[in-house]
Amino acid sequence: MATDPILKRVTGRTKVMFILGDPVAHIIGTAILNEDFFRHGVDATVSPLHVAPADLGTVLGAIRAMRNVAGFGVTIPHKIEVIRHLDGTTPRATGIGAVNFVRRNPDGTLLGDNVDGIGFVAGLSRNEVEVAGRRVLQIGAGGAGRAIAFALAEAGASHIAFANRTAGKARALAEAVTAAYPGCGTSLSAPDTAGFDLVVNTTSVGMQEGDALPADLSRLGASAVVADVIMAPETTPLLAEAARRGCHIIRGKEMLLDQPRLVREFLSL
Ligand SMILES: NC(=O)c1ccc[n+]([C@@H]2O[C@H](COP(=O)([O-])OP(=O)(O)OC[C@H]3O[C@@H](n4cnc5c(N)ncnc54)[C@H](OP(=O)(O)O)[C@@H]3O)[C@@H](O)[C@H]2O)c1
């Protein structure tokens, strides 16, 4: 009988990782990471762990005692709540207010980071889209939006204008980004793309058939880049319309492609 090469290589020397969520049936990040580790000759393996919110502290306490655990990912609903069980977070995760990967240090201490936003910027970079010096319109200020805004500022965006249905969330994000990156100007905006170099949709608007466009593209220049975080459909109506106008478009899946490398780096695998 054929054996999966990924399972065949797991031994007592293998580093172990988990992805904690509730529910877990939708998780594919484990398979993506296992495949990446295999391709890069990294002796590590990842499993989903179904952990209810009430059990998160108990599970993290146990992970502290598990000496062959390199770290773990967290997904819905643990990304914010996990922080109070950790020993610390990177400045980036502290600003974002959410964590998606945790490193277990050799002494059992746990450090949280968030690579969602830097994954997005890495996707831009792979597509030869430069962020430094760009004027950005970001639509949305939820979890993905917070991570992306901090990463855009870190990558040197000159200005980020935020448009969000709930204006208070956009205002809070703009203030947090300016406090962390004084060199990056921020403002609140209508979802009007005129005059921007880069337009980023971080909302879920465009996932459902019949959704309106999250931004008005009628005055968008053809030299602008338009990116969307939505993964299904692969080409959202926003991206289709931007492509029709001659703009360079970046699809949601681009945000995921560099994350295994970023996780390997963070966990020193
Ligand atoms: N490509 C990737 O790797 C990746 C990673 C993470 C997330 N995502 C995608 O990113 C999207 C957002 O996820 P999230 O975790 O950030 O969710 P979230 O924290 O719930 O934020 C949702 C955002 O969308 C806005 N929104 C939702 N429905 C809206 C509507 N009907 N009209 C206008 N604005 C609306 C919200 O505005 P309010 O603030 O007004 O509620 C908020 O800004 C999802 O499509 C998710 O699948 C993709």
Side-chain angles (χ1 to χ4, degrees):
M1 197 167 63
T3 311
D4 183 330
I6 291 176
L7 290 179
K8 207 164 147 187
R9 69 189 167 83
V10 176
T11 70
R13 272 201 267 272
T14 307
K15 292 286 182 195
V16 177
M17 261 190 82
F18 304 110
I19 294 184
L20 278 53
D22 180 25
V24 291
H26 66 287
I27 292 179
I28 56 165
T30 42
I32 292 170
L33 285 171
N34 281 321
E35 178 67 29
D36 174 87
F37 294 161
F38 177 63
R39 268 193 291 115
H40 289 88
V42 172
D43 192 6
T45 183
V46 197
S47 296
L49 279 187
H50 191 167
V51 179
D55 298 324
L56 191 60
T58 309
V59 170
L60 264 64
I63 287 176
R64 286 175 188 275
M66 295 175 177
R67 298 182 179 203
N68 61 343
V69 173
F72 55 93
V74 284
T75 186
I76 291 169
H78 303 313
K79 286 185 172 189
I80 297 171
E81 190 55 25
V82 72
I83 293 175
R84 69 186 183 91
H85 299 288
L86 303 177
D87 298 291
T89 48
T90 59
R92 154 167 78 218
T94 307
I96 295 166
V99 153
N100 72 341
F101 280 94
V102 176
R103 180 168 77 216
R104 181 193 176 282
N105 294 314
D107 63 358
T109 54
L110 303 175
L111 176 71
D113 195 6
N114 191 317
V115 301
D116 266 347
I118 53 170
F120 174 82
V121 169
L124 293 180
S125 174
R126 195 171 355 85
N127 285 278
E128 289 164 13
V129 175
E130 180 63 57
V131 172
R134 296 263 185 151
R135 283 179 54 77
V136 183
L137 173 66
Q138 176 176 314
I139 306 133
R146 286 190 70 87
I148 286 172
F150 277 85
L152 289 169
E154 189 172 309
S158 64
H159 188 95
I160 308 175
F162 294 96
N164 191 46
R165 177 178 60 179
T166 308
K169 275 166 72 177
R171 190 173 307 112
L173 178 54
E175 284 168 6
V177 168
T178 301
Y181 299 96
C184 177
T186 58
S187 59
L188 302 186
S189 170
D192 179 349
T193 56
F196 290 100
D197 309 311
L198 174 60
V199 175
V200 184
N201 175 44
T202 71
T203 74
S204 45
V205 179
M207 284 177 88
Q208 307 296 332
E209 227 178 290
D211 275 356
L213 294 188
D216 175 5
L217 302 189
S218 60
R219 299 194 295 148
L220 182 68
S223 62
V225 176
V226 179
D228 206 323
V229 297
I230 291 172
M231 284 188 286
E234 220 174 277
T235 305
T236 57
L238 178 80
L239 293 181
E241 175 59 18
R244 203 182 63 74
R245 291 175 171 274
C247 299
H248 183 176
I249 62 167
I250 307 290
R251 295 181 172 84
K253 68 172 184 201
E254 294 291 330
M255 184 170 165
L256 279 182
L257 300 181
D258 281 87
Q259 289 211 18
R261 172 180 61 78
L262 297 167
V263 170
R264 274 190 272 120
E265 286 169 8
F266 176 53
L267 300 185
S268 306
L269 293 172

